Amino acid sequence: MSPTNTAASDLAIREPAQAELERVLYLFRKTPLYAEARLLVAVRGRPVERFVAAVAWWPEGMIARFQLACQPGADRAAVAAPLIERLAECAHRAGMEALHYADLLPANHECAEVLRGQGFERLRSERSFEVPVPNLWTRVTQLYHKYQAEIPAGWRSDPIRLHSPEVILDLIAPHRLLPPPEVRRSWQPNAVSGFDLDLSCILFGRERAFGALLLRHLGDLLYVDVQVVHEPNPRLRSLGDVCLIYHDIVRVPRDGTIRRIQFRSGETEHRQTANLALRTGGRELPPRHVFARKL
């Protein structure tokens, strides 16, 4: 593929050569990437050749998801515009119908401003809540012991390291919290910023998986990507949520190194997540958005 040049800014957009991959991937050093991600790089040639920005993208069905990385000090809007246009060309030729930015972004995020400038619009939004761990642990422990006799005898929670992602993909798919490729990647033992394989768990009713808690341990934070219980009985559904969190209560060290827990939820879905967070002294964080553009 020949490079796209903008002579006025001395910027070329092209695919990196094999020998250049290490330099390109350095731009994404703080971002976990799919092994199958395709790369485009923005190269400035003067006074010496240097990589100032890059796009990593991959297909999910008819959608091309992508991430943008820039060198500190680079004019993000200026380098993003030609990168995104070349990405749109590549995705269109590959049969994609839309571009979706892979990360959820606050409305005032610099990258969100750049995307809006390239014709992206908010596709959907997610709410998130942060709760002090001692508050949540105390409340859930009280609930667990109070209603333990009502928990069906066949229920158990297993760490996800004992199972494959396929066990829960159909269970969590309707909730649109994580696409299957991201679930599979984050499930791998050595994944960068992957799921905690012991604190993330699956709730079984005998051999039927009907609940899942997928979370990441990031410093003093537990970040819950997915908390789902598929149970038509509201009381049993609430008990399922308690059991998922109690799985962590008995496993997280009590040394104070983990102080916060954050939960994701849709704009209207997962009301129980919001209710539990707010009842235990949590707070709602600014909403984050998925930005998309049709091709």
Side-chain angles (χ1 to χ4, degrees):
M1 182 182 294
S2 60
T4 297
N5 289 288
T6 55
S9 60
D10 185 36
L11 192 70
I13 308 299
R14 60 175 173 82
E15 294 178 353
Q18 185 69 30
E20 297 172 326
L21 288 180
E22 185 175 352
R23 291 169 60 196
V24 178
L25 292 175
Y26 183 75
L27 293 172
F28 294 98
R29 60 194 179 277
K30 297 181 180 180
T31 305
L33 294 180
Y34 293 112
E36 64 272 23
R38 309 171 195 183
L39 297 168
L40 292 170
V41 64
V43 187
R44 205 173 287 285
R46 294 181 298 204
V48 295
E49 184 181 84
R50 61 196 188 281
F51 294 169
V52 294
V55 157
W57 73 280
W58 57 93
E60 288 182 7
M62 305 304 290
I63 295 170
R65 294 189 184 274
F66 73 99
Q67 289 172 312
L68 173 69
C70 296
Q71 283 282 24
D75 185 335
R76 188 180 291 263
V79 299
L83 267 174
I84 290 173
E85 289 312 309
R86 172 57 73 91
L87 166 61
E89 294 172 10
C90 295
H92 182 71
R93 283 198 296 270
M96 303 292 102
E97 297 179 350
L99 300 177
H100 285 193
Y101 197 68
D103 294 333
L104 291 159
L105 299 172
N108 61 352
H109 193 281
E110 180 184 8
C111 193
E113 295 290 341
V114 170
L115 293 173
R116 280 192 287 263
Q118 297 304 309
F120 284 75
E121 297 180 346
R122 191 193 78 171
L123 178 67
R124 63 184 177 87
S125 300
E126 289 189 4
R127 303 169 71 192
S128 59
F129 303 85
E130 182 175 291
V131 186
V133 157
N135 295 26
L136 185 65
W137 269 209
T138 298
R139 177 60 176 164
V140 171
T141 299
Q142 291 171 344
L143 292 172
Y144 183 86
H145 290 300
K146 182 176 181 179
Y147 298 108
Q148 188 171 9
E150 299 181 29
I151 298 173
W155 285 16
R156 76 177 194 278
S157 64
D158 284 356
I160 66 170
R161 71 165 65 250
L162 302 179
H163 302 276
S164 71
E166 281 63 33
V167 173
I168 63 163
L169 288 182
D170 289 343
L171 172 69
I172 69 175
H175 300 271
R176 302 186 308 165
L177 292 171
L178 281 182
E182 171 67 7
V183 175
R184 292 189 181 98
R185 187 200 66 78
S186 298
W187 205 289
Q188 298 302 309
N190 298 318
V192 177
S193 300
F195 300 139
D196 187 300
L197 300 183
D198 293 308
L199 299 183
S200 299
C201 62
I202 303 171
L203 190 60
F204 288 90
R206 301 195 185 280
E207 298 308 313
R208 177 181 69 95
F210 71 99
L213 182 73
L214 303 179
L215 58 80
R216 309 169 200 264
H217 182 189
L218 308 170
D220 71 342
L221 172 71
L222 295 179
Y223 184 80
V224 178
D225 283 289
V226 173
Q227 182 184 353
V228 168
V229 177
H230 185 68
E231 167 55 58
N233 183 306
R235 187 165 186 81
L236 290 179
R237 188 164 59 246
S238 295
L239 286 176
D241 280 318
V242 168
C243 289
L244 287 173
I245 298 174
Y246 193 75
H247 175 96
D248 287 349
I249 289 175
V250 298
R251 289 169 173 81
V252 168
R254 299 302 182 97
D255 57 6
T257 55
I258 298 177
R259 299 198 296 264
R260 302 173 295 140
I261 185 166
Q262 288 183 7
F263 297 91
R264 294 172 61 188
S265 69
E267 289 179 281
T268 58
E269 309 98 327
H270 306 288
R271 292 184 183 277
Q272 72 275 18
T273 299
N275 291 339
L276 179 62
L278 297 176
R279 287 172 182 168
T280 52
R283 62 190 180 98
E284 184 165 2
L285 302 174
R288 297 186 301 165
H289 314 284
V290 174
F291 286 89
R293 178 177 128 183
K294 292 183 180 179
L295 294 175

